[in-house]
């Protein structure tokens, strides 16, 4: 496939409410879209890097710089590109997986749209709809949290994830468990604890959580194994899992027994699928994480989440959990599920007028 060029477009999308985690508060998303133009089709990739390097070392301005200055020049050296070769071509550039994922996804979407083949069938989806959970930020009070969780359960979400940090952990979990009974419930610490907190985290054990996500720093994988010895709730890794190999290593030392798969964090959907496969082979279930994506990123995540070993509901929430207006046709919850798009590629594209309205800049880089 020949590349004519790539448009880098930034959009600002206000969140419907502030989303608070142990690493900060998000009130809007500033998203980089990569539009890959070929003679036969154009493809879209959404870069999941946030505005500030708080969740990971990547951030959206840096990602755009890396795409423009390092990734596209490497790609444009080749006049015949396939998505399966992108990661190898970009290999000389270290790290910057979210930037690479956006580029690879744009190429993959263009390729599959040209072929009229859906991302789901390309990746090996075995379902036509996926079970959806929702990630609930740190609230100002237990009462406010209970109201939010109640609203999401009313909307049909099939699993609740609570963000936790020291000082906001045992009591909110207890309150949600007491009020809502037997729901699927899990927590995400975004690396807010240390190994010295293991006994404290064990106080979550009586609440029958599905998992505790990323309690410790992303580089402290071995220490997660120590936590897993002390805490009986399964440990799940998010930030630490940057490749399929990292997943295999973490699992083999007992650092986690469940894996959160986020394609942006691991350089794209192809590495995400390999991670899924490795985890399946090791008997470890996975679920699809989220990065407050627009409909572009969500469409691809929903396709991925339709693979066999995605055994738990994902952070693949409906458009209206995040935005008053999504940049695509909105994803709407149907009995707690989202339908896997069936059109070519990611099966969706931005609505031109909405995209224009939300855009803050565009940049064309010809091949
Ligand atoms: O740790 O899973 C996380 C959002 C931004 C960055 C990191 C995380 C999250 C979420 C929200 O938990 C998931 C979503 O609904 O997209
Ligand atoms: Mg997480």
């Amino acid at each position: 496939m020949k590349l004519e060029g790539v448009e880098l477009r930034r959009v600002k999308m206000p969140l419907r409410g502030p989303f608070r985690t142990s690493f900060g508060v998000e009130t809007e998303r500033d998203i980089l879209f990569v539009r890959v133009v070929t003679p036969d089709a154009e493809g879209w990739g959404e870069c999941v890097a946030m505005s500030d390097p708080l969740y990971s070392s990547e951030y959206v301005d840096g990602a755009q710089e890396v795409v423009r200055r390092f990734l596209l020049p490497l790609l444009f050296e080749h006049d015949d590109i396939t998505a399966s070769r992108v990661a190898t071509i970009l290999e000389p550039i270290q790290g910057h997986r979210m930037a690479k994922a956006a580029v690879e996804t744009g190429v993959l979407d263009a390729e599959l749209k040209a072929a009229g083949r859906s991302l789901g069938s390309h990746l090996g989806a075995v379902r036509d709809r996926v079970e959806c959970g929702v990630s609930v930020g740190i609230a100002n009070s237990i009462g406010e949290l209970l109201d939010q969780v109640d609203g999401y359960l009313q909307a049909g979400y099939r699993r609740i994830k609570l963000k936790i940090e020291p000082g906001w952990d045992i009591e909110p979990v207890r309150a949600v468990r007491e009020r809502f009974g037997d729901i699927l419930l899990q927590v995400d610490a975004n690396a807010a604890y240390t190994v010295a907190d293991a006994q404290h985290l064990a106080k979550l054990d009586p609440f029958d959580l599905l998992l505790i996500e990323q309690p410790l720093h992303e580089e402290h994988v071995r220490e997660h194994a120590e936590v897993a010895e002390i805490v009986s709730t399964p440990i799940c890794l998010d930030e630490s899992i940057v490749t399929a190999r990292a997943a295999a290593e973490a699992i083999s030392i007992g650092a986690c027994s469940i894996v959160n798969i986020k394609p942006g964090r691991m350089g794209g959907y192809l590495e995400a699928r390999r991670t899924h496969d490795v985890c399946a082979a090791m008997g470890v279930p996975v679920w699809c994480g989220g990065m407050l994506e627009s409909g572009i990123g969500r469409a691809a995540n929903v396709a991925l989440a339709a693979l066999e070993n995605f055994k738990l509901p994902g952070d693949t929430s409906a458009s209206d959990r995040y935005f008053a207006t999504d940049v695509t046709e909105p994803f709407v919850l149907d009995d707690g599920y989202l339908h896997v798009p069936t059109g070519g590629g990611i099966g969706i594209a931005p609505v031109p007028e909405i995209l224009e309205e939300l855009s803050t800049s565009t940049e064309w880089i010809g091949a």
Side-chain angles (χ1 to χ4, degrees):
M1 189 170 70
K2 190 184 155 24
L3 302 184
E4 290 177 352
V6 168
E7 182 188 71
L8 303 182
R9 180 182 287 260
R10 292 281 282 276
V11 304
K12 248 194 210 333
M13 300 177 68
L15 289 167
R16 287 187 58 196
F19 182 66
R20 184 155 151 229
T21 65
S22 59
F23 61 79
V25 188
E26 306 297 323
T27 56
E28 62 173 24
R29 290 290 280 120
D30 175 352
I31 301 177
L32 167 65
F33 288 119
V34 174
R35 181 170 66 96
V36 173
V37 179
T38 78
D40 300 318
E42 58 180 54
W44 290 87
E46 172 170 344
C47 181
V48 300
M50 321 277 295
S51 300
D52 302 319
L54 301 175
Y55 162 80
S56 89
S57 60
E58 290 190 77
Y59 64 104
V60 65
D61 288 338
Q64 184 161 350
E65 164 87 356
V66 165
V67 172
R68 174 201 308 119
R69 183 164 160 199
F70 299 109
L71 304 186
L72 294 181
L74 277 178
L75 218 53
F76 292 158
E77 283 176 15
H78 301 260
D79 41 35
D80 187 26
I81 287 287
T82 61
S84 63
R85 291 177 58 218
V86 169
T88 306
I89 292 169
L90 301 182
E91 207 164 58
I93 305 302
Q94 302 302 302
H96 297 286
R97 293 186 174 89
M98 293 175 179
K100 290 177 176 179
V103 169
E104 185 192 82
T105 307
V107 173
L108 183 56
D109 185 37
E111 185 175 308
L112 293 173
K113 277 180 167 138
R117 179 155 204 233
S118 73
L119 179 62
S121 66
H122 181 71
L123 295 175
V126 296
R127 295 180 266 271
D128 57 12
R129 58 176 196 165
V130 302
E131 275 198 294
C132 297
V134 60
S135 175
V136 185
I138 293 165
N140 293 313
S141 67
I142 299 273
E144 185 184 282
L145 178 71
L146 293 175
D147 287 347
Q148 286 178 10
V149 170
D150 189 41
Y152 291 131
L153 292 171
Q154 300 285 339
Y157 285 102
R158 289 171 172 265
R159 183 226 68 195
I160 299 292
K161 161 169 138 182
L162 303 181
K163 290 291 188 177
I164 60 167
E165 65 181 2
W168 181 266
D169 44 26
I170 316 297
E171 290 317 314
V173 167
R174 183 199 312 281
V176 169
R177 185 53 93 205
E178 279 179 1
R179 164 86 181 270
F180 300 106
D182 196 17
I183 60 170
L184 298 184
L185 185 62
Q186 64 192 52
V187 295
D188 185 1
N190 288 113
Y193 296 87
T194 73
V195 69
D197 296 314
Q199 299 289 353
H200 176 72
L201 291 168
K203 294 184 196 150
L204 292 168
D205 286 341
F207 302 110
D208 260 317
L209 302 178
L210 290 168
L211 58 91
I212 301 175
E213 183 178 344
Q214 196 73 40
L216 315 182
H217 189 278
E218 63 179 76
E219 291 168 6
H220 300 177
V221 178
R222 171 68 236 174
E223 290 185 343
H224 280 92
E226 291 176 36
V227 173
E229 291 279 329
I230 291 165
V231 176
S232 64
T233 306
I235 302 299
C236 169
L237 291 176
D238 170 356
E239 285 88 329
S240 298
I241 305 300
V242 294
T243 55
R245 177 182 285 262
E249 292 190 358
I251 294 163
S252 68
I253 64 166
C256 66
S257 53
I258 300 177
V259 169
N260 167 324
I261 294 194
K262 285 180 184 169
R265 195 190 61 222
M266 42 185 63
Y269 286 84
L270 303 181
E271 185 70 9
R273 180 182 54 188
R274 285 190 285 274
T275 307
H276 161 274
D277 295 349
V278 161
C279 291
M282 297 179 86
V284 165
V286 305
W287 56 281
C288 185
M291 291 290 289
L292 312 174
E293 288 93 343
S294 79
I296 293 297
R298 188 162 319 285
N301 284 348
V302 168
L304 179 70
L307 271 64
E308 166 69 27
N309 194 40
F310 282 80
K311 300 286 192 198
L312 297 165
D315 283 345
T316 47
S317 307
S319 294
D320 72 358
R321 180 259 174 269
Y322 309 96
F323 311 110
T325 309
D326 207 334
V327 71
T328 59
E329 293 299 325
F331 279 82
V332 178
L333 216 57
D334 177 4
D335 192 29
Y337 291 82
L338 288 181
H339 295 278
V340 179
T342 54
I346 64 170
I348 206 165
V351 177
E353 306 80 61
I354 301 177
L355 182 67
E356 221 38 67
E357 173 101 13
L358 298 174
S359 293
T360 53
S361 71
T362 65
E363 175 181 9
W364 172 257
I365 304 173

